[in-house]
mmCIF file of all heavy atoms in Angstrom:
data_model
loop_
_atom_site.group_PDB
_atom_site.id
_atom_site.type_symbol
_atom_site.label_atom_id
_atom_site.label_comp_id
_atom_site.label_asym_id
_atom_site.label_seq_id
_atom_site.Cartn_x
_atom_site.Cartn_y
_atom_site.Cartn_z
ATOM 1 N N ILE A 1 15.400 -103.367 36.363
ATOM 2 C CA ILE A 1 15.647 -103.301 34.914
ATOM 3 C C ILE A 1 16.959 -104.063 34.631
ATOM 4 O O ILE A 1 17.705 -104.363 35.535
ATOM 5 C CB ILE A 1 15.735 -101.862 34.390
ATOM 6 C CG1 ILE A 1 16.823 -101.044 35.142
ATOM 7 C CG2 ILE A 1 14.398 -101.148 34.510
ATOM 8 C CD1 ILE A 1 17.091 -99.695 34.535
ATOM 9 N N GLY A 2 17.194 -104.334 33.340
ATOM 10 C CA GLY A 2 18.422 -104.974 32.965
ATOM 11 C C GLY A 2 18.281 -106.497 32.885
ATOM 12 O O GLY A 2 17.200 -107.067 32.976
ATOM 13 N N SER A 3 19.418 -107.158 32.764
ATOM 14 C CA SER A 3 19.494 -108.588 32.620
ATOM 15 C C SER A 3 20.561 -109.152 33.543
ATOM 16 O O SER A 3 21.314 -108.403 34.124
ATOM 17 C CB SER A 3 19.811 -108.936 31.170
ATOM 18 O OG SER A 3 19.970 -110.329 30.991
ATOM 19 N N ASP A 4 20.624 -110.480 33.626
ATOM 20 C CA ASP A 4 21.717 -111.052 34.393
ATOM 21 C C ASP A 4 23.052 -110.862 33.609
ATOM 22 O O ASP A 4 23.015 -110.697 32.394
ATOM 23 C CB ASP A 4 21.442 -112.490 34.776
ATOM 24 C CG ASP A 4 21.898 -113.481 33.729
ATOM 25 O OD1 ASP A 4 23.116 -113.702 33.578
ATOM 26 O OD2 ASP A 4 21.051 -114.051 33.041
ATOM 27 N N PRO A 5 24.188 -110.902 34.288
ATOM 28 C CA PRO A 5 25.433 -110.549 33.609
ATOM 29 C C PRO A 5 25.805 -111.443 32.431
ATOM 30 O O PRO A 5 26.499 -110.992 31.511
ATOM 31 C CB PRO A 5 26.489 -110.706 34.736
ATOM 32 C CG PRO A 5 25.720 -110.566 35.996
ATOM 33 C CD PRO A 5 24.371 -111.139 35.717
ATOM 34 N N ASP A 6 25.335 -112.697 32.442
ATOM 35 C CA ASP A 6 25.676 -113.612 31.350
ATOM 36 C C ASP A 6 24.588 -113.722 30.295
ATOM 37 O O ASP A 6 24.674 -114.583 29.429
ATOM 38 C CB ASP A 6 25.997 -114.980 31.951
ATOM 39 C CG ASP A 6 27.196 -114.958 32.874
ATOM 40 O OD1 ASP A 6 28.188 -114.270 32.563
ATOM 41 O OD2 ASP A 6 27.121 -115.602 33.946
ATOM 42 N N LEU A 7 23.581 -112.891 30.396
ATOM 43 C CA LEU A 7 22.477 -112.849 29.433
ATOM 44 C C LEU A 7 21.782 -114.240 29.319
ATOM 45 O O LEU A 7 21.411 -114.638 28.234
ATOM 46 C CB LEU A 7 22.977 -112.380 28.079
ATOM 47 C CG LEU A 7 23.660 -110.993 28.053
ATOM 48 C CD1 LEU A 7 24.103 -110.668 26.624
ATOM 49 C CD2 LEU A 7 22.743 -109.935 28.572
ATOM 50 N N GLU A 8 21.640 -114.897 30.429
ATOM 51 C CA GLU A 8 20.927 -116.153 30.439
ATOM 52 C C GLU A 8 19.436 -115.951 30.689
ATOM 53 O O GLU A 8 18.650 -116.884 30.417
ATOM 54 C CB GLU A 8 21.526 -117.074 31.507
ATOM 55 C CG GLU A 8 22.904 -117.538 31.160
ATOM 56 C CD GLU A 8 23.526 -118.411 32.215
ATOM 57 O OE1 GLU A 8 23.104 -118.340 33.409
ATOM 58 O OE2 GLU A 8 24.450 -119.207 31.891
ATOM 59 N N SER A 9 19.050 -114.825 31.228
ATOM 60 C CA SER A 9 17.646 -114.550 31.463
ATOM 61 C C SER A 9 17.458 -113.042 31.495
ATOM 62 O O SER A 9 18.395 -112.240 31.650
ATOM 63 C CB SER A 9 17.121 -115.158 32.771
ATOM 64 O OG SER A 9 17.795 -114.597 33.874
ATOM 65 N N GLY A 10 16.219 -112.648 31.240
ATOM 66 C CA GLY A 10 15.866 -111.217 31.229
ATOM 67 C C GLY A 10 14.373 -111.089 31.031
ATOM 68 O O GLY A 10 13.608 -112.014 31.344
ATOM 69 N N ILE A 11 13.919 -109.973 30.549
ATOM 70 C CA ILE A 11 12.503 -109.772 30.320
ATOM 71 C C ILE A 11 12.044 -110.745 29.225
ATOM 72 O O ILE A 11 12.661 -110.835 28.179
ATOM 73 C CB ILE A 11 12.215 -108.298 29.871
ATOM 74 C CG1 ILE A 11 12.504 -107.371 31.041
ATOM 75 C CG2 ILE A 11 10.797 -108.142 29.368
ATOM 76 C CD1 ILE A 11 11.642 -107.581 32.254
ATOM 77 N N TYR A 12 10.953 -111.500 29.503
ATOM 78 C CA TYR A 12 10.501 -112.545 28.564
ATOM 79 C C TYR A 12 9.195 -112.221 27.899
ATOM 80 O O TYR A 12 8.859 -112.899 26.910
ATOM 81 C CB TYR A 12 10.429 -113.878 29.265
ATOM 82 C CG TYR A 12 9.498 -113.853 30.512
ATOM 83 C CD1 TYR A 12 8.118 -113.965 30.367
ATOM 84 C CD2 TYR A 12 10.013 -113.716 31.779
ATOM 85 C CE1 TYR A 12 7.309 -113.896 31.454
ATOM 86 C CE2 TYR A 12 9.209 -113.671 32.885
ATOM 87 C CZ TYR A 12 7.843 -113.761 32.718
ATOM 88 O OH TYR A 12 7.015 -113.687 33.814
ATOM 89 N N ALA A 13 8.413 -111.249 28.360
ATOM 90 C CA ALA A 13 7.145 -110.921 27.713
ATOM 91 C C ALA A 13 7.391 -110.497 26.289
ATOM 92 O O ALA A 13 8.309 -109.745 26.020
ATOM 93 C CB ALA A 13 6.408 -109.850 28.500
ATOM 94 N N LYS A 14 6.530 -110.964 25.379
ATOM 95 C CA LYS A 14 6.723 -110.595 24.001
ATOM 96 C C LYS A 14 6.603 -109.117 23.797
ATOM 97 O O LYS A 14 7.315 -108.497 22.964
ATOM 98 C CB LYS A 14 5.716 -111.344 23.082
ATOM 99 C CG LYS A 14 6.070 -112.840 23.018
ATOM 100 C CD LYS A 14 5.222 -113.542 21.946
ATOM 101 C CE LYS A 14 5.650 -115.038 21.863
ATOM 102 N NZ LYS A 14 4.880 -115.767 20.857
ATOM 103 N N GLU A 15 5.689 -108.488 24.539
ATOM 104 C CA GLU A 15 5.651 -107.037 24.575
ATOM 105 C C GLU A 15 5.669 -106.607 26.058
ATOM 106 O O GLU A 15 4.601 -106.564 26.683
ATOM 107 C CB GLU A 15 4.467 -106.404 23.874
ATOM 108 C CG GLU A 15 4.465 -104.914 23.949
ATOM 109 C CD GLU A 15 3.594 -104.218 22.920
ATOM 110 O OE1 GLU A 15 3.081 -104.898 22.019
ATOM 111 O OE2 GLU A 15 3.422 -103.003 23.002
ATOM 112 N N PRO A 16 6.811 -106.312 26.626
ATOM 113 C CA PRO A 16 6.920 -105.942 28.026
ATOM 114 C C PRO A 16 6.047 -104.709 28.333
ATOM 115 O O PRO A 16 5.983 -103.777 27.542
ATOM 116 C CB PRO A 16 8.407 -105.662 28.265
ATOM 117 C CG PRO A 16 9.110 -106.328 27.088
ATOM 118 C CD PRO A 16 8.139 -106.267 25.956
ATOM 119 N N SER A 17 5.436 -104.710 29.536
ATOM 120 C CA SER A 17 4.623 -103.551 29.905
ATOM 121 C C SER A 17 5.452 -102.458 30.536
ATOM 122 O O SER A 17 5.019 -101.314 30.580
ATOM 123 C CB SER A 17 3.559 -103.991 30.929
ATOM 124 O OG SER A 17 4.172 -104.467 32.120
ATOM 125 N N HIS A 18 6.670 -102.788 30.958
ATOM 126 C CA HIS A 18 7.472 -101.782 31.682
ATOM 127 C C HIS A 18 8.274 -100.930 30.769
ATOM 128 O O HIS A 18 8.479 -101.241 29.565
ATOM 129 C CB HIS A 18 8.351 -102.461 32.727
ATOM 130 C CG HIS A 18 9.468 -103.196 32.107
ATOM 131 N ND1 HIS A 18 10.721 -102.634 31.909
ATOM 132 C CD2 HIS A 18 9.558 -104.444 31.608
ATOM 133 C CE1 HIS A 18 11.505 -103.545 31.342
ATOM 134 N NE2 HIS A 18 10.822 -104.633 31.148
ATOM 135 N N VAL A 19 8.769 -99.791 31.266
ATOM 136 C CA VAL A 19 9.300 -98.752 30.439
ATOM 137 C C VAL A 19 10.563 -99.147 29.659
ATOM 138 O O VAL A 19 10.687 -98.865 28.459
ATOM 139 C CB VAL A 19 9.538 -97.505 31.317
ATOM 140 C CG1 VAL A 19 10.498 -97.770 32.429
ATOM 141 C CG2 VAL A 19 10.022 -96.320 30.491
ATOM 142 N N LEU A 20 11.487 -99.786 30.273
ATOM 143 C CA LEU A 20 12.736 -100.128 29.572
ATOM 144 C C LEU A 20 12.514 -101.145 28.466
ATOM 145 O O LEU A 20 13.128 -101.050 27.418
ATOM 146 C CB LEU A 20 13.809 -100.598 30.581
ATOM 147 C CG LEU A 20 15.216 -100.772 29.950
ATOM 148 C CD1 LEU A 20 15.708 -99.477 29.311
ATOM 149 C CD2 LEU A 20 16.218 -101.237 30.993
ATOM 150 N N GLY A 21 11.647 -102.140 28.749
ATOM 151 C CA GLY A 21 11.334 -103.108 27.697
ATOM 152 C C GLY A 21 10.693 -102.430 26.509
ATOM 153 O O GLY A 21 11.021 -102.769 25.340
ATOM 154 N N GLN A 22 9.837 -101.432 26.749
ATOM 155 C CA GLN A 22 9.247 -100.704 25.649
ATOM 156 C C GLN A 22 10.293 -99.872 24.867
ATOM 157 O O GLN A 22 10.260 -99.761 23.659
ATOM 158 C CB GLN A 22 8.132 -99.793 26.188
ATOM 159 C CG GLN A 22 6.924 -100.516 26.684
ATOM 160 C CD GLN A 22 5.977 -100.907 25.561
ATOM 161 O OE1 GLN A 22 5.650 -100.106 24.718
ATOM 162 N NE2 GLN A 22 5.548 -102.179 25.558
ATOM 163 N N LEU A 23 11.213 -99.308 25.606
ATOM 164 C CA LEU A 23 12.311 -98.576 24.971
ATOM 165 C C LEU A 23 13.156 -99.437 24.106
ATOM 166 O O LEU A 23 13.524 -99.071 22.953
ATOM 167 C CB LEU A 23 13.179 -97.860 26.021
ATOM 168 C CG LEU A 23 12.735 -96.485 26.476
ATOM 169 C CD1 LEU A 23 13.538 -96.064 27.716
ATOM 170 C CD2 LEU A 23 12.917 -95.438 25.363
ATOM 171 N N VAL A 24 13.463 -100.623 24.548
ATOM 172 C CA VAL A 24 14.289 -101.550 23.752
ATOM 173 C C VAL A 24 13.528 -101.904 22.489
ATOM 174 O O VAL A 24 14.147 -101.976 21.405
ATOM 175 C CB VAL A 24 14.623 -102.842 24.621
ATOM 176 C CG1 VAL A 24 15.274 -103.902 23.697
ATOM 177 C CG2 VAL A 24 15.605 -102.454 25.720
ATOM 178 N N MET A 25 12.243 -102.189 22.602
ATOM 179 C CA MET A 25 11.483 -102.538 21.408
ATOM 180 C C MET A 25 11.493 -101.405 20.381
ATOM 181 O O MET A 25 11.647 -101.619 19.179
ATOM 182 C CB MET A 25 10.059 -102.891 21.779
ATOM 183 C CG MET A 25 9.904 -104.185 22.538
ATOM 184 S SD MET A 25 8.179 -104.671 22.822
ATOM 185 C CE MET A 25 7.736 -105.204 21.153
ATOM 186 N N ALA A 26 11.333 -100.155 20.862
ATOM 187 C CA ALA A 26 11.327 -98.992 19.944
ATOM 188 C C ALA A 26 12.727 -98.836 19.312
ATOM 189 O O ALA A 26 12.852 -98.553 18.139
ATOM 190 C CB ALA A 26 10.947 -97.734 20.713
ATOM 191 N N ALA A 27 13.776 -99.043 20.105
ATOM 192 C CA ALA A 27 15.141 -98.923 19.593
ATOM 193 C C ALA A 27 15.448 -99.964 18.538
ATOM 194 O O ALA A 27 16.187 -99.703 17.568
ATOM 195 C CB ALA A 27 16.148 -99.029 20.753
ATOM 196 N N ARG A 28 14.868 -101.176 18.708
ATOM 197 C CA ARG A 28 15.160 -102.275 17.785
ATOM 198 C C ARG A 28 14.150 -102.321 16.603
ATOM 199 O O ARG A 28 14.224 -103.211 15.795
ATOM 200 C CB ARG A 28 15.123 -103.612 18.504
ATOM 201 C CG ARG A 28 16.150 -103.672 19.656
ATOM 202 C CD ARG A 28 16.240 -105.052 20.285
ATOM 203 N NE ARG A 28 16.878 -105.987 19.415
ATOM 204 C CZ ARG A 28 16.315 -107.093 18.943
ATOM 205 N NH1 ARG A 28 15.083 -107.394 19.255
ATOM 206 N NH2 ARG A 28 16.978 -107.920 18.130
ATOM 207 N N GLY A 29 13.298 -101.291 16.507
ATOM 208 C CA GLY A 29 12.333 -101.232 15.392
ATOM 209 C C GLY A 29 11.161 -102.135 15.543
ATOM 210 O O GLY A 29 10.398 -102.329 14.579
ATOM 211 N N GLN A 30 10.958 -102.754 16.724
ATOM 212 C CA GLN A 30 9.796 -103.617 16.924
ATOM 213 C C GLN A 30 8.528 -102.816 17.232
ATOM 214 O O GLN A 30 7.423 -103.372 17.211
ATOM 215 C CB GLN A 30 10.113 -104.591 18.032
ATOM 216 C CG GLN A 30 11.212 -105.593 17.727
ATOM 217 C CD GLN A 30 11.719 -106.318 18.966
ATOM 218 O OE1 GLN A 30 12.523 -105.844 19.740
ATOM 219 N NE2 GLN A 30 11.194 -107.538 19.120
ATOM 220 N N LYS A 31 8.699 -101.567 17.588
ATOM 221 C CA LYS A 31 7.574 -100.628 17.751
ATOM 222 C C LYS A 31 7.940 -99.343 17.008
ATOM 223 O O LYS A 31 9.109 -99.019 16.850
ATOM 224 C CB LYS A 31 7.384 -100.327 19.243
ATOM 225 C CG LYS A 31 6.858 -101.473 20.077
ATOM 226 C CD LYS A 31 6.654 -101.053 21.527
ATOM 227 C CE LYS A 31 5.495 -100.121 21.700
ATOM 228 N NZ LYS A 31 4.175 -100.766 21.569
ATOM 229 N N ASP A 32 6.902 -98.634 16.579
ATOM 230 C CA ASP A 32 7.144 -97.382 15.842
ATOM 231 C C ASP A 32 7.759 -96.332 16.725
ATOM 232 O O ASP A 32 8.533 -95.475 16.240
ATOM 233 C CB ASP A 32 5.816 -96.809 15.267
ATOM 234 C CG ASP A 32 5.253 -97.748 14.172
ATOM 235 O OD1 ASP A 32 6.036 -98.478 13.577
ATOM 236 O OD2 ASP A 32 4.038 -97.666 13.919
ATOM 237 N N HIS A 33 7.417 -96.365 18.023
ATOM 238 C CA HIS A 33 7.901 -95.331 18.935
ATOM 239 C C HIS A 33 7.737 -95.817 20.383
ATOM 240 O O HIS A 33 7.062 -96.789 20.648
ATOM 241 C CB HIS A 33 7.125 -94.030 18.737
ATOM 242 C CG HIS A 33 5.642 -94.193 18.951
ATOM 243 N ND1 HIS A 33 4.770 -94.432 17.921
ATOM 244 C CD2 HIS A 33 4.882 -94.153 20.081
ATOM 245 C CE1 HIS A 33 3.551 -94.565 18.359
ATOM 246 N NE2 HIS A 33 3.581 -94.385 19.680
ATOM 247 N N PHE A 34 8.387 -95.105 21.268
ATOM 248 C CA PHE A 34 8.199 -95.306 22.713
ATOM 249 C C PHE A 34 7.182 -94.271 23.183
ATOM 250 O O PHE A 34 7.258 -93.071 22.848
ATOM 251 C CB PHE A 34 9.525 -95.143 23.436
ATOM 252 C CG PHE A 34 9.380 -95.065 24.938
ATOM 253 C CD1 PHE A 34 9.051 -96.191 25.657
ATOM 254 C CD2 PHE A 34 9.517 -93.876 25.603
ATOM 255 C CE1 PHE A 34 8.870 -96.147 27.066
ATOM 256 C CE2 PHE A 34 9.343 -93.801 26.985
ATOM 257 C CZ PHE A 34 9.021 -94.909 27.693
ATOM 258 N N THR A 35 6.243 -94.717 24.017
ATOM 259 C CA THR A 35 5.190 -93.800 24.525
ATOM 260 C C THR A 35 5.443 -93.468 25.975
ATOM 261 O O THR A 35 5.541 -94.369 26.820
ATOM 262 C CB THR A 35 3.838 -94.457 24.384
ATOM 263 O OG1 THR A 35 3.559 -94.769 23.026
ATOM 264 C CG2 THR A 35 2.725 -93.480 24.855
ATOM 265 N N ILE A 36 5.580 -92.202 26.279
ATOM 266 C CA ILE A 36 5.635 -91.696 27.630
ATOM 267 C C ILE A 36 4.219 -91.547 28.133
ATOM 268 O O ILE A 36 3.437 -90.753 27.611
ATOM 269 C CB ILE A 36 6.359 -90.349 27.733
ATOM 270 C CG1 ILE A 36 7.842 -90.466 27.261
ATOM 271 C CG2 ILE A 36 6.333 -89.824 29.188
ATOM 272 C CD1 ILE A 36 8.559 -89.155 27.248
ATOM 273 N N THR A 37 3.809 -92.363 29.116
ATOM 274 C CA THR A 37 2.440 -92.353 29.606
ATOM 275 C C THR A 37 2.370 -91.406 30.853
ATOM 276 O O THR A 37 2.814 -91.806 31.897
ATOM 277 C CB THR A 37 1.929 -93.766 29.956
ATOM 278 O OG1 THR A 37 2.874 -94.340 30.834
ATOM 279 C CG2 THR A 37 1.841 -94.598 28.687
ATOM 280 N N GLY A 38 1.854 -90.229 30.660
ATOM 281 C CA GLY A 38 1.741 -89.256 31.727
ATOM 282 C C GLY A 38 2.825 -88.217 31.650
ATOM 283 O O GLY A 38 3.990 -88.497 31.873
ATOM 284 N N VAL A 39 2.402 -86.972 31.287
ATOM 285 C CA VAL A 39 3.395 -85.871 31.162
ATOM 286 C C VAL A 39 3.038 -84.647 31.996
ATOM 287 O O VAL A 39 3.644 -83.608 31.887
ATOM 288 C CB VAL A 39 3.545 -85.450 29.672
ATOM 289 C CG1 VAL A 39 4.185 -86.606 28.865
ATOM 290 C CG2 VAL A 39 2.217 -85.043 29.081
ATOM 291 N N ASP A 40 2.019 -84.818 32.834
ATOM 292 C CA ASP A 40 1.530 -83.686 33.667
ATOM 293 C C ASP A 40 1.691 -84.027 35.177
ATOM 294 O O ASP A 40 0.950 -83.456 36.002
ATOM 295 C CB ASP A 40 0.106 -83.338 33.356
ATOM 296 C CG ASP A 40 -0.076 -82.854 31.892
ATOM 297 O OD1 ASP A 40 0.758 -82.015 31.488
ATOM 298 O OD2 ASP A 40 -1.002 -83.314 31.225
ATOM 299 N N HIS A 41 2.599 -84.871 35.511
ATOM 300 C CA HIS A 41 2.789 -85.238 36.891
ATOM 301 C C HIS A 41 3.569 -84.110 37.618
ATOM 302 O O HIS A 41 4.273 -83.332 36.975
ATOM 303 C CB HIS A 41 3.597 -86.537 37.026
ATOM 304 C CG HIS A 41 2.860 -87.750 36.529
ATOM 305 N ND1 HIS A 41 1.620 -88.110 36.978
ATOM 306 C CD2 HIS A 41 3.237 -88.691 35.640
ATOM 307 C CE1 HIS A 41 1.248 -89.224 36.365
ATOM 308 N NE2 HIS A 41 2.182 -89.612 35.567
ATOM 309 N N PRO A 42 3.447 -84.020 38.930
ATOM 310 C CA PRO A 42 4.102 -82.974 39.710
ATOM 311 C C PRO A 42 5.590 -83.277 39.962
ATOM 312 O O PRO A 42 6.093 -83.190 41.060
ATOM 313 C CB PRO A 42 3.315 -82.947 41.022
ATOM 314 C CG PRO A 42 2.845 -84.347 41.192
ATOM 315 C CD PRO A 42 2.527 -84.832 39.802
ATOM 316 N N THR A 43 6.300 -83.653 38.884
ATOM 317 C CA THR A 43 7.723 -83.937 38.948
ATOM 318 C C THR A 43 8.482 -82.827 38.233
ATOM 319 O O THR A 43 7.900 -81.914 37.638
ATOM 320 C CB THR A 43 8.061 -85.297 38.329
ATOM 321 O OG1 THR A 43 7.683 -85.241 36.928
ATOM 322 C CG2 THR A 43 7.327 -86.427 39.007
#
């Protein structure tokens, strides 16, 4: 997760499939919400 220190590259997918990219989109208003997929795991 994260980006390079100088912000020259990072996640490039318009809608990232991974969790942090989805969180960033929700935080920036690009998605209505962040979805937690799976809440009944043995954790």
Side-chain angles (χ1 to χ4, degrees):
I1 57 173
S3 175
D4 89 72
D6 298 319
L7 304 179
E8 292 178 336
S9 63
I11 293 298
Y12 56 81
K14 290 189 177 180
E15 181 162 351
S17 63
H18 70 93
V19 59
L20 188 57
Q22 290 281 311
L23 272 169
V24 170
M25 291 187 73
R28 301 186 73 240
Q30 294 167 278
K31 291 180 70 73
D32 293 338
H33 58 267
F34 168 72
T35 303
I36 299 176
T37 53
V39 294
D40 296 316
H41 293 307
T43 61

